[in-house]
Amino acid sequence: MINSELYPVIFKRKSIRKFVKEPLEESIIKKLKGHISKLEPLFEHIKTEVAILGENEIGGIFSIKAPHYIAIYSEEKEGHLLNAGYLLQQLDLFLSKEGVGALWLGMGKPQENLDARNGLKYVITLAFGKADEEVHRNSISEYKRKELDEISSVEGAEKLIEAVRLAPSSTNNQPWYLEGTESEMIIYCKRLSFFKNIFFPLMKKFLPIDMGIALCHLKIAANNFGKEIKFKKEDKPSNKNYEYIITAHIK
Ligand SMILES: Cc1cc2nc3c(=O)[nH]c(=O)nc-3n(C[C@H](O)[C@H](O)[C@H](O)COP(=O)(O)O)c2cc1C
């Protein structure tokens, strides 16, 4: 089960973009490694590896400088980006819980020799280190997010969907939409506009990662309220604006 201590972190985490240059104490890195070994995948059958990299191992012109990075590597199978988002969000929240700053870094690029690992392909990075700014938000009003009714028509599950609402996403895109009932939520991803599809090809990769992050928040919230949640890809239709992603069965 995903660590229930992560639930309160959903309500205060934020992206950190200014890091103190010095590396973190070894004790935190050790704790992080312990947490990495206990990560819970969304899809057990997809092989992944999570690596801690040093300050010079991730670059890229739009990247952010940090003393440490976490890179996730994966088999390229259906659902691997959802799975990567789901896994690394557990670490984003863990780091925030420990008072360590973190940032999802879609624009980061690993050095050439770090583009693959044990036959698995690089997916995405989290930058992390001691924050050189306030590490947490002080209230929900500091989140720039859509309203609940803009992301869901499900009734009676507001507490669970609030956790989805606050999830981070690339360019704060918030592509999620939830339909159905409190025991069977049908989860969709908003399609990119024609313009973004053409001019921002990287966003196509980030959308499923965003959705994996949202599923992680949903799972943590469900567990917090003593509910069991199972994600299942079913045969549901997509439409012009929304792509069907997965169904959450909750009891
Ligand atoms: C998949 C993904 C990729 C991201 N890539 C970057 C990035 O390259 N640079 C950056 O400054 N922020 C990046 N972010 C952070 C988002 O801009 C941020 O999560 C969003 O604006 C919401 O703000 P918050 O995390 O402070 O709640 C990324 C977030 C996600 C989920």
Side-chain angles (χ1 to χ4, degrees), residues 109-122:
K109 247 179 92 66
Q111 281 181 1
E112 233 167 80
N113 61 330
L114 294 167
D115 209 29
R117 198 179 171 96
N118 299 324
L120 307 175
K121 286 252 347 221
Y122 167 80

Side-chain angles (χ1 to χ4, degrees), residues 137 139-147 165-167 169 172-174:
R137 289 184 163 103
S139 92
I140 297 286
S141 63
E142 291 177 27
Y143 283 83
K144 292 198 178 98
R145 296 293 192 269
K146 294 179 185 170
E147 298 298 329
R165 189 178 81 84
L166 299 178
S169 54
N172 206 20
N173 194 29
Q174 308 166 65

Side-chain angles (χ1 to χ4, degrees), residues 135-188:
V135 75
H136 293 135
R137 289 184 163 103
N138 297 308
S139 92
I140 297 286
S141 63
E142 291 177 27
Y143 283 83
K144 292 198 178 98
R145 296 293 192 269
K146 294 179 185 170
E147 298 298 329
L148 261 190
D149 62 1
E150 291 176 85
I151 64 157
S152 167
S153 62
V154 180
E155 283 180 13
E158 288 73 14
K159 284 193 173 148
L160 301 193
I161 296 168
E162 178 68 357
V164 171
R165 189 178 81 84
L166 299 178
S169 54
S170 48
T171 63
N172 206 20
N173 194 29
Q174 308 166 65
W176 31 78
Y177 193 81
L178 292 85
E179 274 184 7
T181 65
E182 56 184 311
S183 58
E184 189 185 323
M185 291 182 196
I186 306 161
I187 301 169
Y188 296 91

Side-chain angles (χ1 to χ4, degrees), residues 17 33 40 51 66 91 103 118-119 121 134 146 177 184 197 237:
R17 295 189 174 81
K33 284 182 182 160
E40 183 182 307
L91 294 181
L103 175 71
N118 299 324
K121 286 252 347 221
E134 257 195 81
K146 294 179 185 170
Y177 193 81
E184 189 185 323
N197 215 7

Side-chain angles (χ1 to χ4, degrees), residues 13-17 62-64 89 92 102-108 124-125 137 142-145 166-173 205-207 209-210 213:
R13 67 148 296 286
K14 67 174 193 173
S15 292
I16 297 298
R17 295 189 174 81
F62 297 111
S63 188
I64 298 264
Q89 186 56 13
D92 176 58
L103 175 71
W104 277 94
L105 199 49
M107 301 314 279
I124 195 161
T125 294
R137 289 184 163 103
E142 291 177 27
Y143 283 83
K144 292 198 178 98
R145 296 293 192 269
L166 299 178
S169 54
S170 48
T171 63
N172 206 20
N173 194 29
K205 172 180 169 187
F206 296 154
L207 282 184
I209 297 177
D210 295 339
I213 294 172

Side-chain angles (χ1 to χ4, degrees), residues 81-92:
L81 296 174
L82 267 184
N83 193 48
Y86 189 86
L87 283 165
L88 279 206
Q89 186 56 13
Q90 294 167 50
L91 294 181
D92 176 58

Side-chain angles (χ1 to χ4, degrees), residues 235-249:
D235 191 17
K236 304 258 190 230
S238 298
N239 66 35
K240 184 162 108 297
N241 298 320
Y242 288 93
E243 185 188 345
Y244 166 71
I245 300 295
I246 210 159
T247 305
H249 294 273

